[in-house]
Amino acid sequence: MDRWQGKVAMVTGASSGIGAATVIALAKAGMITFGLARRVERVEELKKDLPAEVRERLHAIRCDVTKEEDILSAFREVEQKFGGVDVLINNAGVARSSYGVLDAKNTQAIRDVIDTNLVALALCSREAYQSMKKRSVDGHIVHINSILGHNVLPMNTLNVYPASKYGVTALTETMRHELRMAGTKIKVTSISPGLVRTEIITNSAAVADMPILEAEDIADAVLYVLGTPPRVQIHELMIKPVGEHM
């Protein structure tokens, strides 16, 4: 992580779970870190248990990634304060497991998932790339994907979540080609975890006896892919808890 000391990272969905663990890990690793979230007070709350020098590197921006104006405002703020972004972690994601794809009156649920998991990821990546290109920065864009972006499980409550994550898998490859053909050395990585203990799991009793990852495991993976030499690109990193049957 030496090359990223003092550089700027942005993390979406930073108020809890993987996003919260990641902003803490990046700030501890020496990066100026911006946590984007609707519940911005929860990002601020993360600072209280951190050493003073780490607290100073962690910043919070209120941002609803389903609103393009919020995304543009967040990137403008980072540019005004620190010149631009060097690392983007697209972590924000939602699931609407109480609705099936074919259930009646599920339009808003479908749009919530697609807008958050796919459209916002594309828009944030676009803004990060423009910032990196403008400053000739060999940055890194990381998508927090899912094993459901590679394999649809036989469950009736997944709604369009797997479709959105399959989209992330496709976008990762699309971006890799675009970045390559543009002559840049900007990296793009998809990290696909299995089951992780986060707020996205609404029924914790249902997974009580299942193998499960912790949010910090995924934050460690983010540090790993960022820490590779400039010649190395981790294109896809799949992480499963030991014993997972999926």
Side-chain angles (χ1 to χ4, degrees):
M1 289 293 292
D2 290 348
R3 65 181 289 220
W4 300 115
Q5 294 292 311
K7 301 298 184 180
V8 178
M10 296 176 70
V11 181
T12 66
S15 62
S16 64
I18 295 170
T22 299
V23 291
I24 292 172
L26 292 174
K28 285 183 175 179
M31 296 197 73
I32 299 165
T33 306
F34 285 84
L36 278 56
R38 289 174 299 175
R39 299 171 296 183
V40 70
E41 66 282 353
R42 294 182 65 170
V43 181
E44 294 287 358
E45 186 72 10
L46 297 174
K47 297 182 182 182
K48 69 176 186 179
D49 296 323
L50 299 175
E53 69 275 13
V54 178
R55 281 200 305 270
E56 292 174 1
R57 289 194 290 268
L58 180 54
H59 309 269
I61 298 179
R62 188 180 303 279
C63 180
D64 180 346
V65 294
T66 65
K67 298 177 180 177
E68 184 177 8
E69 59 270 27
D70 279 17
I71 293 173
L72 298 178
S73 176
F75 277 88
R76 279 196 302 268
E77 182 173 339
V78 171
E79 181 178 11
Q80 291 165 0
K81 290 183 175 179
F82 291 98
V85 61
D86 304 296
V87 168
L88 170 67
I89 313 298
N90 280 310
N91 166 73
V94 297
R96 293 291 183 263
S97 58
S98 58
Y99 294 89
V101 174
L102 304 178
D103 285 346
K105 300 180 180 179
N106 65 353
T107 303
Q108 191 58 53
I110 289 174
R111 287 179 172 160
D112 287 347
V113 173
I114 297 297
D115 286 348
T116 304
N117 297 3
L118 200 56
V119 177
L121 178 143
L123 297 183
C124 288
S125 298
R126 178 194 70 192
E127 294 305 308
Y129 169 66
Q130 294 300 323
S131 175
M132 294 170 190
K133 183 176 72 168
K134 178 181 178 181
R135 295 172 296 120
S136 299
V137 166
D138 294 334
H140 201 146
I141 298 171
V142 178
H143 306 319
I144 304 302
N145 197 346
S146 169
I147 60 167
L148 294 176
H150 307 271
N151 181 34
V152 180
L153 302 178
M155 300 168 62
N156 64 357
T157 57
L158 293 175
N159 195 276
V160 291
Y161 185 83
S164 71
K165 292 302 186 177
Y166 264 77
V168 173
T169 300
L171 272 179
T172 304
E173 184 68 2
T174 302
M175 289 180 190
R176 183 179 72 84
H177 286 305
E178 286 195 12
L179 293 169
R180 174 181 60 82
M181 290 187 287
T184 81
K185 293 185 179 179
I186 298 169
K187 301 182 187 182
V188 59
T189 298
S190 163
I191 297 178
S192 297
L195 192 61
V196 183
R197 197 186 315 277
T198 69
E199 291 182 359
I200 205 168
I201 301 173
T202 55
N203 183 5
S204 57
V207 299
D209 298 322
M210 296 176 64
I212 193 166
L213 296 163
E214 301 296 337
E216 290 73 18
D217 299 327
I218 314 309
D220 288 344
V222 170
L223 294 184
Y224 165 66
V225 301
L226 291 177
T228 54
R231 68 181 180 276
V232 175
Q233 175 167 262
I234 306 298
H235 185 58
E236 174 63 46
L237 180 60
M238 189 172 291
I239 310 169
K240 294 186 179 185
V242 173
E244 182 176 85
H245 68 277
M246 291 184 284

